[in-house]
Amino acid sequence: MRKASLLSVWACLPALGACNRHQSTLAPFGEQADQVLSITIVLVVGAVVLALGLALLMRHAIRAPEGRLTHKGGMKMVLWLGGIGPSILLLALLLYALPAMRPRPVADADLRIGVDGEQFWWRVRYAPPGGAVVEAANELRLPVGRTVELSLRSPDVIHSFWVPGLAGKMDMIPGRTNRLVVRATKAGTYRGVCAEFCGLGHALMAFDVVAMEHAAFERWLTAQARPATVTASPGARLFARYGCSGCHSVRGVGPAAKIGPDLTHFGSRPTLAAGILPMTHANIARFVREPGKTKPGVQMPAFPQMSAAEADQIASYLQGLK
């Protein structure tokens, strides 16, 4: 009884995995992930056919009456059912899967997005044809039905870019630019992660992937290209006094800084700290004062001298950057 229950649990695992719609290889929203899922299903069916064939062969060899199977007949069975048959099946599976390894074409009019994996967050740069480069962080937006070339880099250690429902994993190696060509097929909000251990905050290095209809994406990109609308406030003054502008850029306010994430439209993002916290006032204030408690190993310094009231004012300023 216990053995049957365990087998039932194992049989249900693929179905349970498919219940995760925002981060699952079984719920694709990109052409490449859909192709990978189709190949996986075909390969699993092929493996099941081989396993059943082997089981039937073993059953026949064990249960055949004595004398029915001669040495010559046995050798023919081994040759055809144990050698030639499986080889033909494996060759067919190989030929079916090989086209997926071809590089996907990219045209000059296609969108190019640069993604840098850092400890422990994501820098994202949109380079639309004929338009200005727009920098964001910890969120990747894609137009549905349009080919996008992702340029993947790392300035520090090896990371791995993985959006299970969009495409396969691709490593981000210091000193090298790897390219991943993707095409989203379904609008929605999904999740990506770093799939290579990169330090203490590795497990807390996620990001949102928002696939949008083409017109909505163009409107969003146009809005992101505008500088921040900032009014004088105590939070803005504290942001400058504590030196936050030395690491973080807010376009339209002071000089550009490239050390930390761009905060120009920070308040419009759904999550904080690379996809691990909801964008709430309390979370922002806590992360500003003590980022290491939320994300161990983060390179952003803590501000123990900052009062809770000051952190609240900075959080209010950051929430207003939309």
Side-chain angles (χ1 to χ4, degrees), residues 281 285 289 305-314:
H281 183 91
R289 290 184 71 193
Q305 74 277 21
M306 183 185 294
S307 68
E310 290 176 326
D312 283 338
Q313 290 176 324
I314 293 176

Side-chain angles (χ1 to χ4, degrees), residues 109-112 125-134 146 217-218 221:
D110 290 332
L111 178 65
R112 285 162 173 80
R125 296 178 309 280
Y126 299 84
V133 175
V134 176
R146 185 176 177 185
F217 175 81
E218 291 297 329
L221 192 59

